[in-house]
Structures are given as structure tokens and as C-alpha cells.
Amino acid sequence: MRVAALLAITFTLSSCVSRSTPPGAAVDPAVQTTGSALSVSTEEERYYNRALRLRDRILNRATWMESEAVPCDPGALRIFSTDSASAARDSVGYDVNTLERLVIVRGIDNSLDAPRTHDLLRAVLAWEADAARPSWDVKQDGQSRKAIAAGLSGKFMNPETRKCESMAPFDTVYAVLPVLTGFSMRQYPNVNFVLAYGEEGLNRMRDAFFAGTTGSPSSVLNYVRVRAAVVWRDFAVIAVNRPIDSRGSVAVAQSSGGAAYIFRYTKGEWRLLTITRTWG
């Protein structure tokens, strides 16, 4: 079930560009099936070195969009220049998609019950709650920057009060994770996390929420759902949805969007390499 879902999301995430191979690009042997008799360790290192080269190429083509004049800490957004030739833009998309597929194919059978994977899930949930933002992955001599706010979180200048205020302040954050063992969420001031695991956990969380809001017939449940997560070595691919459920609904009624990301573990933390796709 998990394998099928992650393979499906591989194709979904790769739809962020229109080409799978840029003009004139050679087929990458690191993502092909061959009859090579290489040992497992040698093959693993070959794939990993390919992933590092793809990361370097992505970073070499990246620049920043940030608003230093805005006083409410908007964070930095990694972008790729759009004034280059079409072939160059296709090449960036090709590298991102190739790295994404490589991580998923190599890591799809890895257990999510690993300390470093739990750290990734904590970082993503804290980002969604605007409790803490991840730093961007940068080249060795690059300046570290914090990412933009996720979803509807973040602070904006109120023109009346002239103060930075949250657009959608969170005191309780509901989140649905894959089935895990021994996961715990770090506590942050002014944020309470309510966690559920898998479909059964979601159903229990939904029932408890609406049982506690019987006096508000129009109440809705907003929650963060980790739809897919794959960790391989120090790379990770993760996709997040933000459903909105109405009272009595079993299926998702609405959504406030979602996003997919590539992360890299470096300097003792998960850092964001790129936002591969967002949807409303």
C-alpha cells in the first residue's frame, strides 16, 4: 500500500515540469536498471554520489527572492532564474525530478521509524505551525537563510495597529502522520499539537473534534497531513496536504493546499533544498 502510494506521488511530483529530459541531455545511468555486477555497497555509493552532484547543480542555478524591507520576517524563497534559455530551465526541472525519483526509488523500503526520520517529521510539523522554520540547504560557503512561512502561517503587518500579526494564529495544530512507533513532538510555546497516525487515527481525531464542538454546527477541522515521506541517506522527499473537514464528513471536503519538498540532513539538522511543488 505504502509502496503504491509513494510510486504514485513520484509521478505527481514530477509533473512540475513539462519534460523529463532536457534537450541534448544524455540518459543518466544512475537512474537506469542495468545488468551490472557491482556490489551493493559500490552501487549505493554510485547513486549517492549522483545525488550529491544533482544537489550541487540545483544550488549552482538557484538564487533568492526575499523582502528585507518587510519587518515581519517573511523569510527567503529559493527561486530559479526565468530569464535564461528554455533549455536551461528544463535542465533545472530535470535535475530536481531526477533527484526526487532517485531518493524515492532508493529509500522507499526504508522504515520511517528511525530517529533522523522522526526529526524530519518534527521539523515539518513545526514549520506548518509557524513554531520554527527550517534553514535552506546552501553550498559550503553559502549564507544560511530561514525559509518562508508554510501554508497560511506567518506574520503580516496590520495597517491599523502597525504590528506584525499572524494571518491565521495557531494555538492547536492537528496533524496526521503515517503509522509510527514511539514518535513524540517537541513542545513549543503557545502551540499544542494533537497527533493522529494513519486512517484509524484520523477517524478517531475527527470524531473527538466534532464531539467536542457540538455547540458549533458550522465548525470545521483543519489539519496537516503528511501524505508521503521517504528518507534515503541524508536526503528526504516529503509531501504535505492541508485538508479541511466539515462536520459529519468522512472524505476530505475542502483543502487549503499543500506542498512537496526535498530536504537534506546537514550540520545536525534537516535543511530545505527545494520546494518542488505547491498547490491550492
Side-chain angles (χ1 to χ4, degrees):
M1 182 95 176
R2 177 174 171 244
V3 172
L6 292 173
L7 286 175
I9 205 164
T10 304
F11 295 103
T12 301
L13 298 180
S14 65
S15 65
C16 63
V17 295
S18 59
R19 292 178 182 270
S20 61
T21 306
V27 175
D28 186 351
V31 292
Q32 303 301 307
T33 302
T34 70
S36 173
L38 293 173
S39 67
V40 173
S41 60
T42 302
E43 181 184 28
E44 178 78 358
E45 289 307 309
R46 179 167 63 89
Y47 280 107
Y48 181 64
N49 289 332
R50 178 57 179 155
L52 292 177
R53 290 194 297 272
L54 288 165
R55 168 190 173 264
D56 289 344
R57 282 164 46 169
I58 291 167
L59 293 179
N60 287 337
R61 294 186 177 100
T63 185
W64 301 105
M65 176 184 291
E66 51 190 336
S67 302
E68 296 180 353
V70 179
C72 297
D73 188 24
L77 175 63
R78 171 163 285 156
I79 60 174
F80 300 94
S81 176
T82 58
D83 58 3
S84 58
S86 176
R89 293 198 303 272
D90 286 345
S91 181
V92 173
Y94 170 76
D95 287 345
V96 170
N97 287 339
T98 301
L99 178 56
E100 201 168 50
R101 291 195 300 271
L102 182 55
V103 173
I104 291 174
V105 170
R106 299 300 297 179
I108 196 168
D109 291 327
N110 291 343
S111 172
L112 297 181
D113 279 318
R116 190 177 287 183
T117 305
H118 285 197
D119 286 344
L120 171 67
L121 296 172
R122 292 187 191 100
V124 170
L125 291 186
W127 188 18
E128 289 287 331
D130 203 28
R133 300 183 192 178
S135 297
W136 284 99
D137 186 20
V138 294
K139 291 184 284 189
Q140 187 171 0
D141 57 349
Q143 177 186 352
S144 178
R145 290 173 166 84
K146 291 294 183 180
I148 60 172
L152 296 177
S153 63
K155 295 184 177 181
F156 305 86
M157 177 63 71
N158 185 325
E160 296 181 358
T161 64
R162 302 303 300 170
K163 294 181 179 179
C164 292
E165 300 177 3
S166 296
M167 178 178 177
F170 298 102
D171 52 0
T172 300
V173 174
Y174 295 87
V176 180
L177 299 166
V179 177
L180 301 170
T181 302
F183 180 83
S184 61
M185 187 62 199
R186 177 184 172 186
Q187 297 302 306
Y188 293 90
N190 305 319
V191 179
N192 176 45
F193 289 92
V194 177
L195 305 181
Y197 304 92
E199 290 298 328
E200 291 185 6
L202 171 58
N203 290 335
R204 288 194 296 269
M205 184 179 76
R206 184 187 288 116
D207 291 345
F209 176 84
F210 288 114
T213 57
T214 54
S216 302
S218 61
S219 62
V220 294
L221 172 62
N222 297 264
Y223 59 98
V224 176
R225 183 163 195 181
V226 176
R227 297 297 304 183
V230 180
V231 175
W232 172 62
R233 303 280 292 252
D234 50 14
F235 287 94
V237 170
I238 189 164
V240 174
N241 279 352
R242 306 179 187 105
I244 304 173
D245 283 10
S246 301
R247 180 178 298 277
S249 68
V250 175
V252 172
Q254 306 175 59
S255 173
S256 58
Y261 312 105
I262 299 177
F263 278 83
R264 182 168 183 258
Y265 191 84
T266 181
K267 299 185 184 301
E269 64 179 357
W270 284 103
R271 294 191 172 188
L272 181 63
L273 175 58
T274 184
I275 300 173
T276 60
R277 190 179 181 215
T278 62
W279 53 90

